[in-house]
Amino acid sequence: MTPALRREHRLARSFPRSKASPGELDRFIEPFGSGLHHLFVLRVGGKEWVGRKVLQHSETVGWYISSVLQPWMLLGPLAEWHWGNQGAVIYFHAVSAQEKETAFHNALTQSASEVRFPFPAMDDNGRECVCPPEYWQCNESLATQLDADEQHFRQHCTSLLRSLSSPGAVIHDPACSTGEFIAHLAGELPDRQCLGSDRSASMIEYAKKLHGTSAARFYLADARDIATTGIQCDVLILRFLNAEVMSRKDAQRAFLDMAAGVKPGGTILLFGHTPVLIAVPYMAQVLKLELISSVAARPGHTELFQFYRLRKTA
């Protein structure tokens, strides 16, 4: 086990351990290194809360990191934070567990709510950590990893697209990897046209082999080339503008390129296993997209996950 993973396990067993009484100031120190991209800020009701994504434990899968955030991961309302040799030193107001749950409930009912991750995944030299191209050569181990922790996204997308899209609508997943996600949508929404593409030939081969009998159609293409292929979609699903997949600069450029492939009045859904890298409200303003919502949760669950829904105005 690496030192970083050992620290994550220790943190998961002790988090949160507040030393302050409710209302008092407390602090949390995130040292420079691989844990910085787990820090998040929840904006709700005009107030910013700070939290930290932490390993969770399940009897079936053991210890794992999820894109689903829980109220106990919140530290409290943010007072200030400093950056120095220690890393990120965060000062916050201590609150009760009930206040944390209330903040999550309010985030789902207030349209201006958003979850942001200030730091990307970084390597030991302080540069953005991006997986090399050879990492995406498909195999069973990678496929299992990519398809894990997706159920909440599939459920939410399926429910949303039943009401947002009409029969015959084109739903495009331009970085479909194993094809599991778009094949699920094709099975749940059989009267829509579900397309999956990827720049990795091994991924497309795997998707066709595994989902060849589904209604989804797969083809080889780079997501950045959507606008030049002539394919116009009603729904664009972006699951890869995320930490470890690409840099912030590349994610912004890709978003600009791909938004052009959406029909007027169409929908863009933006989310991912790791934090979304782009500043979505700013990019929506630049491209004159309507930002409808930024967070989501499954019915009956006290949770949040990043899930941006945008509409391309006519």
Side-chain angles (χ1 to χ4, degrees):
M1 186 183 293
T2 65
L5 191 54
R6 281 198 296 271
R7 181 176 183 273
E8 291 297 326
H9 278 274
R10 287 196 301 270
L11 184 63
R13 291 184 172 93
S14 63
F15 189 91
R17 187 177 290 169
S18 179
K19 299 183 289 293
S21 300
E24 293 182 340
L25 280 174
D26 202 349
R27 73 173 186 173
F28 174 80
I29 299 176
E30 182 67 50
F32 178 82
S34 59
L36 281 167
H37 71 292
H38 293 317
L39 293 172
F40 66 90
V41 175
L42 169 63
R43 187 183 71 241
V44 55
K47 182 185 292 186
E48 291 198 328
W49 295 62
V50 64
R52 212 279 192 179
K53 189 188 291 187
V54 182
L55 284 171
Q56 301 177 62
H57 188 268
S58 164
E59 291 185 2
T60 54
V61 299
W63 291 98
Y64 68 102
I65 197 79
S66 173
S67 54
V68 177
L69 303 176
Q70 306 290 345
W72 57 265
M73 295 180 185
L74 285 174
L75 293 166
L78 176 63
E80 61 178 304
W81 58 3
H82 301 153
W83 176 255
N85 291 336
Q86 289 179 288
V89 184
I90 301 164
Y91 297 89
F92 61 94
H93 296 279
V95 294
S96 67
Q98 182 57 55
E99 288 176 287
K100 294 178 183 182
E101 289 198 13
T102 299
F104 266 49
H105 286 298
N106 291 342
L108 291 171
T109 60
Q110 299 178 15
S111 60
S113 302
E114 185 184 16
V115 172
R116 304 191 311 275
F117 289 82
F119 299 98
M122 294 192 289
D123 62 23
D124 293 337
N125 297 315
R127 298 182 62 84
E128 292 183 57
C129 183
V130 177
C131 296
E134 55 268 22
Y135 176 85
W136 304 108
Q137 293 300 309
C138 194
N139 55 58
E140 289 296 332
S141 176
L142 179 60
T144 300
Q145 177 185 330
L146 293 174
D147 294 338
D149 192 40
E150 251 192 11
Q151 186 176 5
H152 54 292
F153 289 134
R154 293 177 195 164
Q155 290 175 346
H156 190 63
C157 274
T158 300
S159 175
L160 203 57
L161 293 179
R162 280 200 176 101
S163 59
L164 285 183
S165 63
S166 304
V170 176
I171 302 173
H172 192 191
D173 181 355
C176 66
S177 64
T178 66
E180 190 71 30
F181 196 95
I182 195 68
H184 174 83
L185 290 183
E188 295 292 323
L189 305 167
D191 53 1
R192 275 67 159 178
Q193 299 180 56
C194 293
L195 305 177
S197 61
D198 203 285
R199 66 179 181 180
S200 168
S202 66
M203 286 290 187
I204 290 300
E205 182 180 352
Y206 183 92
K208 287 180 175 179
K209 180 180 178 181
L210 195 64
H211 306 292
T213 59
S214 77
R217 289 161 38 210
F218 299 98
Y219 67 100
L220 182 67
D222 191 311
R224 294 276 297 269
D225 297 331
I226 287 177
T228 61
T229 61
I231 294 178
Q232 290 279 297
C233 62
D234 299 282
V235 179
L236 180 63
I237 296 176
L238 301 178
R239 305 185 295 128
F240 69 105
L241 304 184
N242 306 321
E244 300 177 276
V245 179
M246 57 179 60
S247 67
R248 286 195 191 276
K249 182 178 179 181
D250 287 342
Q252 179 173 304
R253 183 69 258 172
F255 185 75
L256 286 168
D257 290 344
M258 291 183 295
V262 182
K263 297 176 184 177
T267 295
I268 300 174
L269 301 179
L270 176 58
F271 54 94
H273 292 281
T274 56
V276 172
L277 289 173
I278 64 175
V280 178
Y282 174 75
M283 295 304 296
Q285 177 181 286
V286 169
L287 294 173
K288 295 181 171 54
L289 302 170
E290 180 186 2
L291 177 56
I292 297 172
S293 59
S294 302
V295 294
R298 292 169 292 183
H301 289 72
T302 304
E303 64 184 20
L304 289 175
F305 47 89
Q306 267 189 321
F307 193 96
Y308 292 95
R309 175 186 162 197
L310 303 107
R311 179 177 178 273
K312 189 170 184 178
T313 56

